[in-house]
Amino acid sequence: MKYILASASPRRKELLEKTGISFEIIPSSIEEKITEELPADIVTELAFQKADDVFEHYRTSHKEEFTVIGADTIVCYKDEILGKPADEQEALDVLSMLSDRTHQVYTGVALLTWENGKKIIRTFYEKTDVTFYPITRSDLLSYIASKDPFDKAGGYGIQGDFSIHVKSITGDYSNVVGLPIGRLYQEMELAD
Amino acid sequence: MKYILASASPRRKELLEKTGISFEIIPSSIEEKITEELPADIVTELAFQKADDVFEHYRTSHKEEFTVIGADTIVCYKDEILGKPADEQEALDVLSMLSDRTHQVYTGVALLTWENGKKIIRTFYEKTDVTFYPITRSDLLSYIASKDPFDKAGGYGIQGDFSIHVKSITGDYSNVVGLPIGRLYQEMELAD
């Protein structure tokens, strides 16, 4: 089976490589359109949109069977969705809110397979609770100065230097990084 | 303050680097001696032994103030401590036991500081629950063939390719890697 990852994220690429499968990267270029309200539904919807965009383009020009993997990650605190911070003030506001509290990270995944002339759709999501220690303003400012927050939902990357503030998580760690690789390995039925 | 990491583990070095402190690495060379019975007590005891070995050697030849950081990690399943597997059969036995179950990872940390002519001792430990999906024999054998299990307590590294089998964790992720960096950052009072 040919696999395509519909994401430009180097973190998702690195996680998917752990499964041992070979895959091609074709990022989707759609305008994301949210119609759902709950975090779990939103990430599943967006993961599907990304995967479907790549799926439809690929199918028009290729004959072989293939599977497209799309993913979307959001960070929530008390049902509020925290996007990528637009500027330093927004990064400070968001990270201050996460300090000394527990928030949720959702990643939705869509697997779209073209097989025997049929389109097979599978979607799922994983939720992980993340709890931070209290973080000083000075530590927040020096992290923001590193520019790490600006391409990341919720303004932080758990795999980078901000990890020194994590107290505990409940759920899958790779889900917070951006791709729930354990669940994905199960859903792709790669275990032989 | 001068910091010394009393561990040769590249994973612990990488985690400690996230705090931004500069430190020297001086691995301890003691024969570990377990007198305790509970996992939490054992890791604390061994972390102290490692740190104290380096502390005492260093103090004899240096005048400045310094802090030695020692750590020890063990993996437990139902109160049984799982060490580094000695051969392929042991690795297969241990990893088969962890498959489709929840086990515990304990890391003990000892901070030994020489300050104002006094030796200050601080110790703590963190516990993390790790749950694996069911893992096929074939997947276990190919992981064992990679030789990754043999230098790791419990026979696996959560940061490597074996992470595709992790269902969820409860607690600190870096604690499973070998150094609970969030708690350590708090205990070292590095937050300014």
Side-chain angles (χ1 to χ4, degrees):
Chain A
M1 175 65 72
K2 181 182 173 66
Y3 292 101
I4 298 164
L5 175 62
S7 170
S9 157
R11 300 176 289 278
R12 292 201 177 111
K13 171 175 179 281
E14 201 181 310
L15 284 166
L16 190 56
E17 280 168 350
K18 290 181 192 286
T19 62
I21 63 164
S22 59
F23 57 92
E24 191 179 337
I25 291 174
I26 308 180
S28 99
S29 53
I30 49 145
E31 189 80 26
E32 298 172 9
K33 210 169 125 183
I34 299 177
T35 67
E36 298 287 350
E37 289 190 358
L38 296 174
D41 296 333
I42 292 172
V43 288
T44 310
E45 175 176 48
L46 294 179
F48 174 78
Q49 287 175 14
K50 292 175 181 176
D52 198 44
D53 174 51
V54 173
F55 182 94
E56 293 301 336
H57 278 91
Y58 195 83
R59 196 173 55 166
T60 57
S61 51
H62 295 79
K63 301 248 173 211
E64 81 264 33
E65 305 192 325
F66 64 96
T67 293
V68 178
I69 304 159
D72 190 78
T73 302
I74 60 174
V75 175
C76 294
Y77 177 66
K78 293 199 173 175
D79 295 330
E80 191 189 338
I81 295 172
L82 313 173
K84 296 174 185 176
D87 54 33
E88 294 187 8
Q89 186 57 52
E90 220 175 282
L92 186 60
D93 291 346
V94 164
L95 293 174
S96 300
M97 194 161 79
L98 300 183
S99 168
D100 202 17
R101 292 194 178 117
T102 300
H103 64 276
Q104 284 71 43
V105 180
Y106 291 84
T107 295
V109 177
L111 292 170
L112 272 57
T113 299
W114 179 249
E115 200 169 31
N116 298 324
K118 275 186 198 146
K119 182 176 181 175
I120 302 158
I121 299 170
R122 285 168 294 173
T123 60
F124 64 90
Y125 75 94
E126 286 279 319
K127 186 188 87 158
T128 304
D129 288 325
V130 179
T131 304
F132 281 117
Y133 281 108
I135 311 168
T136 63
R137 187 182 162 84
S138 160
D139 274 0
L140 290 178
L141 292 175
S142 70
Y143 180 60
I144 292 165
S146 78
K147 306 288 177 203
D148 204 40
F150 298 108
D151 65 337
K152 298 185 177 70
Y156 75 93
I158 200 166
Q159 68 287 347
D161 289 349
F162 207 65
S163 64
I164 59 172
H165 304 297
V166 177
K167 188 171 184 181
S168 70
I169 75 168
T170 301
D172 180 34
Y173 174 81
S174 65
N175 189 49
V176 186
V177 180
L179 195 67
I181 199 63
R183 175 81 180 270
L184 183 58
Y185 190 73
Q186 298 293 314
E187 298 279 348
M188 290 171 82
E189 293 166 357
L190 291 171
D192 46 6
Chain B
M1 174 66 72
K2 180 181 175 66
Y3 293 102
I4 298 165
L5 176 60
S7 169
S9 157
R11 300 176 289 276
R12 291 199 177 112
K13 172 176 179 280
E14 200 181 310
L15 284 167
L16 190 57
E17 279 168 351
K18 289 181 193 287
T19 62
I21 64 164
S22 59
F23 57 91
E24 190 179 340
I25 292 174
I26 307 179
S28 99
S29 53
I30 49 145
E31 189 80 28
E32 299 171 7
K33 209 170 127 184
I34 298 177
T35 67
E36 298 287 349
E37 290 190 358
L38 296 174
D41 295 335
I42 292 172
V43 288
T44 309
E45 175 176 48
L46 294 180
F48 173 78
Q49 288 175 15
K50 292 175 182 177
D52 198 44
D53 174 52
V54 172
F55 182 95
E56 292 300 337
H57 277 92
Y58 196 84
R59 195 172 57 165
T60 57
S61 51
H62 295 79
K63 301 249 173 210
E64 81 265 33
E65 305 192 326
F66 64 95
T67 293
V68 178
I69 304 160
D72 190 76
T73 301
I74 60 174
V75 174
C76 295
Y77 177 67
K78 293 197 173 177
D79 294 333
E80 192 188 337
I81 295 172
L82 312 174
K84 297 174 186 177
D87 54 32
E88 294 186 9
Q89 185 57 52
E90 220 175 282
L92 185 61
D93 291 346
V94 165
L95 293 174
S96 300
M97 193 161 80
L98 300 183
S99 169
D100 202 16
R101 294 193 177 118
T102 300
H103 64 275
Q104 284 71 44
V105 180
Y106 291 84
T107 296
V109 177
L111 292 171
L112 272 58
T113 299
W114 180 250
E115 198 169 33
N116 299 324
K118 276 186 198 145
K119 181 177 182 175
I120 303 159
I121 299 170
R122 285 167 294 172
T123 61
F124 64 90
Y125 76 93
E126 286 279 318
K127 185 189 87 158
T128 305
D129 288 325
V130 179
T131 305
F132 281 117
Y133 282 107
I135 311 168
T136 63
R137 187 182 163 85
S138 160
D139 274 359
L140 290 178
L141 292 175
S142 70
Y143 179 61
I144 292 165
S146 79
K147 306 287 178 206
D148 203 40
F150 299 107
D151 66 338
K152 296 183 178 72
Y156 75 94
I158 200 168
Q159 68 287 349
D161 289 349
F162 207 65
S163 64
I164 59 172
H165 303 299
V166 177
K167 188 171 185 181
S168 70
I169 75 168
T170 301
D172 180 33
Y173 174 82
S174 65
N175 188 50
V176 186
V177 180
L179 194 66
I181 199 63
R183 175 79 180 272
L184 183 58
Y185 190 73
Q186 298 293 314
E187 298 279 348
M188 289 171 84
E189 293 165 357
L190 292 170
D192 45 6

